Amino acid sequence: MPPRILVTGAAGQIGSELVAALRKRYGGDTVVATDKAATRAQVSAGVLEQLDVMHLSSVERAMKSHRIDTVYHLAAILSATGEANPDLAWDVNMDGLKNILDAASRQGVRRIFWPSSIGVFGPDAPKALAPQDAALNPTTMYGVTKVAGELLCAYYSHKHGLDVRSVRFPGLISSEARPGGGTTDYAVEIFYSALQTGRYACFLSEGTVLPMMYMPDALRAAVTLMEADPSDVTLHTGYNVGAMSFSAGELAAEIRNHLPGFQVTFAPDSRQAIADSWPRSVDDSAARRDWGWREEFDLKAMTSDMLTRLAQRLGTGQKTFNTAGGPRRKR
Ligand code: NAD
Ligand code: AKB
């Protein structure tokens, strides 16, 4: 029997591609896409409902009426928006998650995917290969909600038997929906600017290195973890998952290999402090050991694929941006 899936925040950067991937994998009518505010154009064909995760009774009604057994809970406020409006970040990220967990416990939902983030780490965590079990002392409200959220998920797992699974995603790069208010958004915006105007003013400094991942790898991580045998999932907080790390300057240079005239300036704003509080890379050996995590895209492969897909979608002319060999593994 295929799972009966509810996706919250389905119109966002991850949701708009995850819904399509889940429908392809399990069948179109097995996935109920929901968002507080979504238009049909943002989500692949199929059921789409308005659902505000702040309303417990609406969440519970949606789970009951669609006989949901699996939830991908994506509705959230990201780091930069969260620093600008910490009350909103706390309310949506904490109350929204608790509503999902409470409704799921009562409605017999079997399994939940909830993405955590590298935002759980603070300035005291090792910058290189931040360990799975590093002390988590974030300095953003977003990070505070992710640490508290991880603990809440672990609590519902052991107290209520809910099978909650989570990864600490790095910054995600994708060609479909634009990112929704994060610190790593520059790594998506830069591609739009490269193709549309040929120049970009980056809000992080040239040397800022952050962990990043291409969306196809992120979707595979989510689905692989959700399909893993329960006995293999030893962590119900959030697994570190890594794929690539690069500086803003290195990304600009890689794009320039395809578009030689591309001009980038660097003018750090308030998001620089958030980036500076995060690690440059994470140690994801627990995910590799437990459920076989392995990324496919590195900086070169991601850049050429991203340029090709985005150019097609935006209709900006050049059809392919080749790099030798296609997707490649880092190690
Ligand atoms: P996004 O901002 O692109 O999308 C979030 C969606 O949630 C939006 O469509 C928004 O309309 C919806 N939403 C907001 N408040 C809501 C509410 N009260 N009820 C229902 N829907 C609501 O975010 P995303 O990038 O798709 O991120 C999804 C999850 O993944 C979040 O938990 C985020 O913290 C996590 N994550 C994302 C990244 C990344 O780089 N995109 C990295 C690490 C973790
Ligand atoms: C953000 O920058 O807020 C997100 C994240 C890394 O969690 N992309």
Side-chain angles (χ1 to χ4, degrees), residues 7-58:
V7 181
T8 72
Q13 190 191 3
I14 299 179
S16 55
E17 295 195 48
L18 181 65
V19 166
L22 293 173
R23 285 184 169 147
K24 192 166 168 213
R25 190 167 184 84
Y26 302 116
D29 53 2
T30 60
V31 182
V32 178
T34 70
D35 201 290
K36 185 180 175 185
T39 62
R40 167 55 56 207
Q42 291 171 291
V43 184
S44 80
V47 180
L48 171 64
E49 292 183 0
Q50 302 293 120
L51 179 65
D52 186 336
V53 296
M54 302 298 282
H55 297 155
L56 175 59
S57 56
S58 308

Side-chain angles (χ1 to χ4, degrees), residues 249-262 299-300 303-304 307 318 321-323:
E250 285 165 339
L251 177 57
E254 185 56 35
I255 294 174
R256 217 173 285 118
N257 286 336
H258 299 275
L259 298 167
F262 182 41
L299 173 60
K300 271 195 183 321
T303 302
S304 61
L307 285 170
Q318 190 169 338
F321 295 82
N322 285 328
T323 192

Side-chain angles (χ1 to χ4, degrees), residues 150-186:
E150 286 194 8
L151 294 174
L152 199 61
C153 289
Y155 175 82
Y156 274 73
S157 288
H158 77 251
K159 192 83 178 179
H160 299 291
L162 260 186
D163 186 358
V164 191
R165 303 179 178 197
S166 177
V167 294
R168 294 171 180 161
F169 276 137
L172 300 182
I173 300 165
S174 65
S175 57
E176 301 307 305
R178 294 188 98 134
T183 303
T184 59
D185 293 11
Y186 92 84

